[in-house]
Amino acid sequence: MTEKAEVDLTGAKQNTGVWLVKVPKYLSQQWAKATGRGEVGKLRICKKGNQGKAEVSFTLNEELTVIEGIEGKTVSAPRDHPFTMQTVGGQMLAVFTETSSGQSEERSDGSSSGSGAGPDKIALEGVVVQRAECRPAVSESYMRLKRLQIEESSKPMRLSQQLDKAVTSNYKPVANHENNLEYERKKKEEGKRARADKQQVLDMLFSAFEKHQYYNIKDLVDITKQPVIYLKEILRDIGIYNVKGTHKNTWELKPEYRHYQGEEKTDD
């Protein structure tokens, strides 16, 4: 049974404010490639004049600007990303972090939270005080990136490719599929059926036609347990095969063998 997670509210006590920033997908992917201390770039906040709004921009590190596309194509990601500032809009937003048991989390101030084995810990890092959107500055590198993205999105997911040699590791060809084997097995069983005496087969057929007027050949095979070819030879002597009408593709007895003929009218 898992223990309940603890909630660390140190961030609420310290009244820590955080920013909620929306970033482009390619930028987050480049951040994931950061090595060492995980430094991805520099954030610049400047204010023009006493009454002017703060201008915020992010500059991506040079070593994280290379983006590799399909077919070995590479482009340089734009480095400059100005922020578009937005208000929180009366919403109460907060940022939480979750630390798995047995792991420790290093915070931005260098301290660590959670140590040793135990239940998972959830910590309140701060309350959102500012929302923003990080957008790339329109430049030549940005246009090349968009061109690469369009080319990749327009290429089909599946391509036909001619193989120089047979593939032997993944999908091996099957000599015969399961449904074909089942068909062959049924065909052999049908071929093994012994032919019964003709009079015995006739008795079975007349008995069947006493119950129903029309039968398809499959049902008659099931009833008599006889090979199809042999059964059709006998049916041609006593029956009629309907090729059209309501009872198309069925057999019925010839008039002289029917027991269900209408009664003849008699004169009074």
Side-chain angles (χ1 to χ4, degrees), residues 71-101:
E71 298 180 356
K73 292 183 179 180
T74 60
V75 296
S76 295
R79 297 190 62 192
D80 296 327
H81 297 77
F83 278 29
T84 301
M85 309 305 289
Q86 302 171 358
T87 60
V88 179
Q91 292 178 303
M92 183 62 180
L93 304 174
V95 176
F96 292 86
T97 56
E98 183 177 3
T99 306
S100 300
S101 57

Side-chain angles (χ1 to χ4, degrees), residues 9-23:
L9 299 177
T10 305
K13 295 178 181 179
Q14 296 177 350
N15 197 23
T16 306
V18 296
W19 286 17
L20 179 62
V21 183
K22 180 181 179 181
V23 300

Side-chain angles (χ1 to χ4, degrees), residues 6 99-106 112-121:
E6 298 179 0
T99 306
S100 300
S101 57
Q103 296 181 353
S104 61
E105 178 190 354
E106 184 177 348
S112 61
S113 62
S115 61
D120 295 348
K121 296 191 68 174

Side-chain angles (χ1 to χ4, degrees), residues 39-254:
E39 184 177 333
V40 296
K42 297 185 183 299
L43 187 66
R44 182 183 178 187
I45 304 176
C46 62
K47 193 173 183 180
K48 294 183 178 179
N50 296 330
Q51 302 298 327
K53 292 184 179 181
E55 294 183 358
V56 184
S57 63
F58 171 77
T59 303
L60 183 66
N61 278 357
E62 182 69 31
E63 59 269 19
L64 295 177
T65 56
V66 179
I67 297 179
E68 296 181 0
I70 56 178
E71 298 180 356
K73 292 183 179 180
T74 60
V75 296
S76 295
R79 297 190 62 192
D80 296 327
H81 297 77
F83 278 29
T84 301
M85 309 305 289
Q86 302 171 358
T87 60
V88 179
Q91 292 178 303
M92 183 62 180
L93 304 174
V95 176
F96 292 86
T97 56
E98 183 177 3
T99 306
S100 300
S101 57
Q103 296 181 353
S104 61
E105 178 190 354
E106 184 177 348
R107 296 182 177 177
S108 57
D109 58 359
S111 61
S112 61
S113 62
S115 61
D120 295 348
K121 296 191 68 174
I122 299 176
L124 174 63
E125 295 297 329
V127 178
V128 176
V129 296
Q130 180 69 61
R131 298 181 64 178
E133 186 172 353
C134 177
R135 297 179 179 179
V138 179
S139 60
E140 186 64 28
S141 59
Y142 174 70
M143 299 307 295
R144 284 195 294 265
L145 174 62
K146 294 301 295 182
R147 189 180 301 112
L148 178 64
Q149 292 175 341
I150 294 173
E151 290 177 357
E152 290 186 351
S153 62
S154 62
K155 289 195 175 182
M157 298 298 293
R158 298 180 181 180
L159 298 175
S160 299
Q161 183 178 2
Q162 184 175 356
L163 301 178
D164 298 330
K165 58 182 180 179
V167 178
T168 58
S169 57
N170 295 330
Y171 302 100
K172 296 182 179 179
V174 179
N176 207 347
H177 293 281
E178 184 64 27
N179 56 342
N180 293 336
L181 295 173
E182 183 68 20
Y183 173 76
E184 294 293 335
R185 184 161 53 250
K186 288 183 178 180
K187 192 174 181 181
K188 287 181 180 179
E189 290 177 0
E190 183 180 319
K192 291 178 181 178
R193 291 174 179 168
R195 292 191 176 191
D197 180 70
K198 183 177 180 180
Q199 187 57 47
Q200 185 180 355
V201 178
L202 286 171
D203 292 341
M204 289 188 288
L205 289 174
F206 286 134
S207 177
F209 279 108
E210 286 179 359
K211 300 176 183 177
H212 301 285
Q213 182 178 354
Y214 303 97
Y215 283 94
N216 59 45
I217 190 64
K218 183 178 180 296
D219 292 336
L220 292 174
V221 169
D222 293 338
I223 294 171
T224 61
K225 308 299 181 187
Q226 296 300 302
V228 176
I229 297 176
Y230 178 56
L231 185 60
K232 285 184 177 180
E233 291 176 0
I234 299 175
L235 283 170
R236 291 190 188 100
D237 295 336
I238 64 170
I240 300 172
Y241 183 68
N242 297 306
V243 295
K244 60 182 180 179
T246 308
H247 303 287
K248 184 179 179 181
N249 300 331
T250 61
W251 287 88
E252 65 175 322
L253 291 176
K254 290 180 179 179

